[in-house]
């Protein structure tokens, strides 16, 4: 049985530079994957609006995963024939949701704030403040605030208080995941759940081929996605302390950070594990 590779990638600090948000150093690998017709699934804590903008830049037409796995968004007619191809005005993306609502999360956070926990969430920041914290433009910061099922925050107290905060959130069936810049308050789902859903769709779609998943990430909130992939790739963290996957002996660890590490890792995987794909992308 022939193999079909599907790529799942984190964005900030992985495909995108931690500081500049540029993906340009990964261009050779992205072009190789495009020529090889290998899907690249963007999988991030970013919102639908943010990823939609990036997909336009990358000319990426594949499904994508938003808000740390809160939802999978599938383009119109991607896995099956479009239901109404003669009426493009009716075209829309299919959204499969896994998360709780942001309104409920904000209600819990408001209560915990009044109990004395010290943090600043996206909802408490103006677009200008968020732009200063993240290095985004104000327009991009507005897109980052259009969330539906998660809430990022900056923790402003000590580590002991953070552990208490996590325990209290769990009473409300919420968890706290650590990302590259922020902690993320969310329900009990993650990128791995969304990845598994899409992989099952791809297995049906590529019914006569063995689907092999490759996942790339750099932060703790990528851990389960990496552990569930056939080939996990840990990108060197831009601020130090790279992830370790002790139970995955086949894990690939990049020497370079961000998109440079992404580019080198993907090209090496193509060369070593998918010679046919590598030949088609030369």
């Amino acid at each position: 049985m022939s193999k079909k590779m599907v790529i799942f990638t984190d964005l900030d600090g992985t495909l995108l530079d931690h500081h500049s948000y540029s993906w340009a150093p990964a261009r050779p690998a992205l072009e190789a994957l495009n020529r090889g017709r290998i899907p690249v699934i963007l999988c991030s804590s970013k919102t639908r609006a943010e990823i939609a903008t990036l997909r336009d830049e990358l000319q990426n037409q594949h499904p994508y995963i938003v808000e740390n796995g809160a939802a999978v968004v599938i383009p119109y007619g991607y896995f099956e024939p479009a239901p109404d191809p003669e009426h493009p005005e009716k075209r829309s993306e299919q959204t499969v949701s896994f998360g709780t609502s942001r309104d409920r999360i904000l209600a819990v956070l408001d209560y915990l704030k009044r109990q004395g926990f010290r943090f600043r969430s996206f909802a408490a920041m103006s677009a200008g403040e968020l732009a200063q914290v993240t290095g985004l433009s104000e327009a991009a910061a507005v897109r980052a605030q259009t969330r539906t099922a998660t809430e990022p925050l900056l923790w402003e107290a000590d580590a002991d208080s953070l552990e208490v905060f996590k325990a209290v959130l769990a009473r409300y069936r919420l968890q706290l995941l650590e990302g590259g810049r922020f902690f993320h308050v969310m329900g009990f789902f993650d990128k791995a759940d969304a990845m598994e859903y899409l992989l099952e769709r791809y297995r049906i779609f590529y019914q006569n081929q063995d689907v092999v998943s490759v996942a790339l990430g750099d932060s703790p909130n990528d851990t389960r996605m990496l552990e569930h992939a056939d080939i996990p790739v840990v990108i060197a963290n831009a601020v130090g302390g790279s992830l370790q996957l002790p139970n995955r002996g086949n894990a690939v660890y990049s020497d370079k950070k961000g998109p440079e590490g992404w580019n080198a890792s993907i090209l090496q995987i193509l060369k070593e594990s998918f010679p046919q794909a590598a030949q088609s992308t030369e």
Side-chain angles (χ1 to χ4, degrees):
M1 181 181 292
S2 62
K3 295 182 179 181
K4 181 67 178 181
M5 182 164 59
V6 180
I7 307 288
F8 292 84
T9 180
D10 173 54
L11 294 178
D12 290 353
T14 301
L15 178 58
L16 304 181
D17 183 86
H18 179 79
H19 302 288
S20 69
Y21 298 101
S22 172
W23 52 268
R27 187 186 299 274
L30 286 167
E31 291 178 347
L33 293 169
N34 185 52
R35 290 193 297 269
R37 299 180 182 273
I38 297 171
V40 177
I41 311 301
L42 307 182
C43 181
S44 173
S45 62
K46 290 183 180 295
T47 66
R48 184 170 182 162
E50 290 178 284
I51 295 180
T53 299
L54 179 61
R55 285 175 75 246
D56 288 342
E57 290 181 21
L58 296 172
Q59 298 183 357
N60 182 303
Q61 299 179 352
H62 301 290
Y64 54 104
I65 297 168
V66 304
E67 296 188 47
N68 277 324
V72 171
V73 185
I74 302 172
Y76 177 86
Y78 187 85
F79 286 116
E80 58 276 311
D84 195 2
E86 294 185 1
H87 295 85
E89 71 279 1
K90 295 182 180 180
R91 296 180 183 179
S92 62
E93 296 174 316
Q94 176 192 4
T95 302
V96 181
S97 298
F98 301 95
T100 187
S101 73
R102 186 194 189 199
D103 287 343
R104 178 177 175 274
I105 292 171
L106 291 179
V108 172
L109 288 178
D110 180 64
Y111 171 74
L112 295 182
K113 190 85 167 180
R114 288 186 275 111
Q115 300 307 304
F117 289 104
R118 293 167 48 204
F119 58 85
R120 289 183 69 209
S121 73
F122 273 26
M125 301 182 198
S126 67
E129 289 173 319
L130 186 56
Q132 287 185 332
V133 170
T134 61
L136 296 168
S137 67
E138 286 201 22
V142 169
R143 291 193 290 271
Q145 290 177 312
T146 59
R147 317 193 76 82
T148 61
T150 60
E151 183 65 8
L153 57 82
L154 289 171
W155 185 247
E156 297 180 329
D158 58 30
D160 289 340
S161 298
L162 181 64
E163 293 307 309
V164 176
F165 183 66
K166 290 179 181 178
V168 175
L169 283 175
R171 298 175 196 166
Y172 293 92
R173 301 191 303 279
L174 297 173
Q175 64 172 323
L176 190 71
L177 285 185
E178 184 179 356
R181 281 186 175 81
F182 303 96
F183 289 98
H184 300 265
V185 181
M186 52 196 280
F188 280 94
F189 60 88
D190 60 24
K191 295 178 179 182
D193 299 312
M195 180 179 77
E196 289 295 338
Y197 171 83
L198 271 179
L199 281 173
E200 186 57 35
R201 297 293 300 267
Y202 276 112
R203 291 183 189 110
I204 295 170
F205 187 68
Y206 297 123
Q207 54 185 310
N208 295 319
Q209 299 182 73
D210 181 21
V211 175
V212 177
S213 57
V214 177
L216 303 95
D218 75 312
S219 300
N221 65 335
D222 299 316
T223 301
R224 283 195 72 244
M225 177 180 73
L226 292 167
E227 290 176 339
H228 281 67
D230 295 312
I231 303 175
V233 181
V234 179
I235 301 298
N237 192 282
V239 295
S242 293
L243 287 177
Q244 296 296 315
L245 302 177
N247 297 323
R248 296 302 306 271
N250 70 328
V252 176
Y253 294 88
S254 74
D255 294 324
K256 298 180 179 179
K257 301 174 182 178
E260 291 184 352
W262 198 99
N263 186 70
S265 298
I266 288 294
L267 291 179
Q268 190 65 24
I269 288 170
L270 284 175
K271 180 179 179 181
E272 292 181 354
S273 302
F274 294 85
Q276 291 182 339
Q279 290 173 6
S280 69
T281 58
E282 291 177 353

